[in-house]
């Protein structure tokens, strides 16, 4: 009988972790963790079965590879996010400024005190719904959400979290308002109204589809009037403190050579003669004092020129979009637009093709003419069907 009892006890002995009953009558559970330390349940249990259930959960997380040291996830999002920002020397200065602003304004105030271990998809859905409802016309919540998701992806890679809780369906997708497209005659009026040293800049922004930073970083030796091309391999970035720094484009696709019309090459030739120093690395577009061009200083000149031309609500960047739309109407493919605009993916380039309805109608009319011509052609009498025996 005693041997039978010992066999039953041996058969029911726990293979993972241990439980013991305390003098108080409650049960304590513990186990040896993958990091070599003994982990004790943060609370005691009224029943042995409850302690065993806690151990089974720990064993399951270890076997699945999702176990994490509990103390790591007890760190607050504010502490981890601030550290994440300081550990990103790879970020461009302007990008770092943007991330720091999003962090201070949108994430840290509400989510900073929250422990990483208590974050869940539901809590992020609640934050997203509240933030979007309070700021329906802003794209900043989308940017902040993407930043938070990147931070918590890193927390997963660091072994702090088993999965990223920042998962909200449809969140983070910006739906910017449709921007206006101006016609060539309107661009010509703005170019005539603006200070003469910026006339070529306005035309190059439109007919070359260049960004402001690419124009502000353009050097004399990147302008090839003989072959009618402008080489883009540098851009100017204005920081929050007013400094202008120069760097390479964000992606390899941004490094490109853009062909320009002969008419624009003539305008550039005159601009180089009148407003640009002879040095190969001289900036093509500068302030009247010869300093690097700053967007904040240029904005007042741009608005004044638009007002003089009778055009309102137009941003300088809209010239780039307008030029891309013109290129699409000439028959440029998505791949050609990507190359011209310096995009690595077709998503943005395809935006400029949606405005080519008139061209699509013209194509349809030409197809209709082919259809009519086919219908008007004389038809020969039907030939008899001849059976061919093999």
């Amino acid at each position: 009988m005693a041997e039978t009892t010992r066999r039953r006890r041996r058969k029911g002995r726990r293979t993972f972790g241990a439980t013991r009953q305390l003098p108080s009558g409650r049960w304590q559970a513990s186990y040896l963790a993958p990091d070599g330390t003994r982990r004790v349940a943060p609370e005691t249990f009224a029943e042995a079965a409850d302690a065993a259930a806690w151990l089974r959960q720990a064993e399951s997380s270890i076997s699945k590879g999702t176990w994490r040291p509990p103390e790591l996830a007890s760190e607050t999002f504010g502490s981890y996010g601030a550290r994440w920002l300081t550990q990103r020397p790879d970020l461009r200065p302007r990008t770092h400024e943007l991330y720091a602003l999003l962090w201070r304004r949108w994430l840290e105030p509400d989510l900073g005190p929250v422990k990483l271990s208590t974050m869940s998809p539901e809590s992020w859905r609640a934050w997203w719904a509240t933030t979007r409802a309070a700021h329906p016309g802003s794209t900043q919540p989308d940017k902040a959400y993407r930043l938070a998701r990147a931070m918590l992806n890193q927390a997963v890679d660091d072994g702090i979290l088993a999965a990223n809780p920042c998962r909200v369906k449809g969140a983070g997708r910006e739906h910017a308002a449709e921007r206006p497209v101006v016609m060539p005659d309107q661009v010509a009026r703005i170019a005539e109204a603006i200070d003469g040293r910026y006339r070529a800049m306005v035309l190059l922004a439109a007919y070359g589809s260049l960004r402001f930073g690419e124009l502000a970083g353009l050097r004399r030796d990147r302008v090839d009037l003989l072959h009618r091309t402008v080489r883009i391999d540098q851009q100017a970035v204005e920081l929050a403190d007013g400094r202008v720094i120069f760097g390479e484009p964000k992606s390899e696709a941004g490094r490109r050579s853009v062909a320009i019309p002969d008419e624009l090459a003539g305008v550039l030739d005159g601009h180089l003669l009148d407003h640009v120093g002879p040095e190969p690395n001289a900036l093509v577009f500068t302030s009247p004092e010869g300093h690097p061009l700053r967007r904040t200083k240029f904005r007042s000149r741009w608005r004044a020129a638009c007002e003089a031309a009778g055009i309102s609500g137009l941003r300088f960047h809209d010239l780039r979009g307008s030029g891309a739309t013109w290129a699409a109407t000439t028959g440029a493919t998505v791949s050609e637009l990507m190359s011209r605009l310096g995009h690595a993916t077709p998503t943005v380039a395809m935006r400029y093709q949606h405005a080519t309805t008139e061209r699509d109608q013209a194509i349809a009319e030409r197809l209709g003419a082919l259809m009519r011509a086919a219908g008007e052609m004389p038809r020969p009498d039907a030939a008899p069907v001849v059976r061919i025996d093999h």
Side-chain angles (χ1 to χ4, degrees), residues 270-284:
H271 175 84
L272 293 173
L273 182 64
D274 296 337
H275 302 291
V276 184
E279 303 82 8
N281 68 339
L283 291 171
V284 175

Side-chain angles (χ1 to χ4, degrees), residues 28-223:
Q28 186 184 66
S30 66
Y31 65 93
L32 189 63
D35 61 0
T37 62
R38 178 158 291 278
R39 301 286 177 170
V40 180
E43 59 183 353
T44 58
F45 305 93
E47 302 292 338
D50 296 331
W54 183 84
L55 285 173
R56 285 195 297 271
Q57 289 181 347
E59 183 180 20
S60 175
S61 65
I62 292 174
S63 64
K64 294 178 180 177
T66 59
W67 183 88
R68 300 292 184 276
E71 64 272 11
L72 292 181
S74 65
E75 182 179 13
T76 64
F77 184 50
S79 172
Y80 185 82
R83 189 167 72 254
W84 185 93
L85 284 171
T86 62
Q87 295 176 345
R88 291 299 305 272
D90 58 307
L91 295 176
R92 291 171 175 268
R94 187 68 185 93
T95 302
H96 192 277
E97 284 188 344
L98 172 62
Y99 284 0
L101 176 64
L102 294 172
W103 172 252
R104 293 194 308 268
R105 185 171 295 178
W106 297 93
L107 297 173
E108 188 179 27
D110 295 332
L111 300 169
V114 180
K115 291 184 178 181
L116 295 176
S117 58
T118 63
M119 286 184 164
S120 66
E122 182 179 4
S123 65
W124 276 102
R125 283 197 301 273
W127 172 84
W128 174 251
T130 301
T131 306
R132 288 294 294 167
H135 307 276
S138 175
T139 60
Q140 294 294 296
D142 300 280
K143 293 181 173 67
Y145 172 86
R146 293 197 298 271
L147 174 60
R149 186 174 57 192
M151 289 177 167
L152 294 178
N153 276 336
Q154 186 63 55
V156 174
D157 293 342
D158 291 343
I160 297 175
L161 295 175
N164 190 338
C166 189
R167 303 190 308 271
V168 182
K169 188 175 182 179
R173 300 175 184 172
E174 294 185 37
H175 302 284
E178 194 77 19
R179 295 303 307 162
V181 175
V182 288
M183 295 295 102
D185 64 305
Q186 294 174 301
V187 173
R189 294 208 304 271
I190 296 174
E192 288 298 327
I194 205 165
D195 185 324
R197 67 183 306 111
Y198 301 119
R199 177 171 177 258
M201 182 176 172
V202 169
L203 296 174
L204 188 53
Y207 289 93
S209 291
L210 301 186
R211 302 175 177 90
F212 182 92
E214 294 170 342
L215 291 161
L218 186 63
R219 309 267 178 182
R220 173 184 272 275
D221 60 359
R222 269 67 168 182
V223 179

Side-chain angles (χ1 to χ4, degrees), residues 22-23 36 53 58 66 80 88 116 126 136 143 201 252 261 266 283 299 314 321 352 357 360 365 370:
L22 302 175
T66 59
Y80 185 82
R88 291 299 305 272
L116 295 176
K143 293 181 173 67
M201 182 176 172
E252 187 59 33
L283 291 171
R299 192 171 291 134
L314 189 70
Y352 302 111
T357 305
D360 194 42
E365 290 177 5
L370 293 175

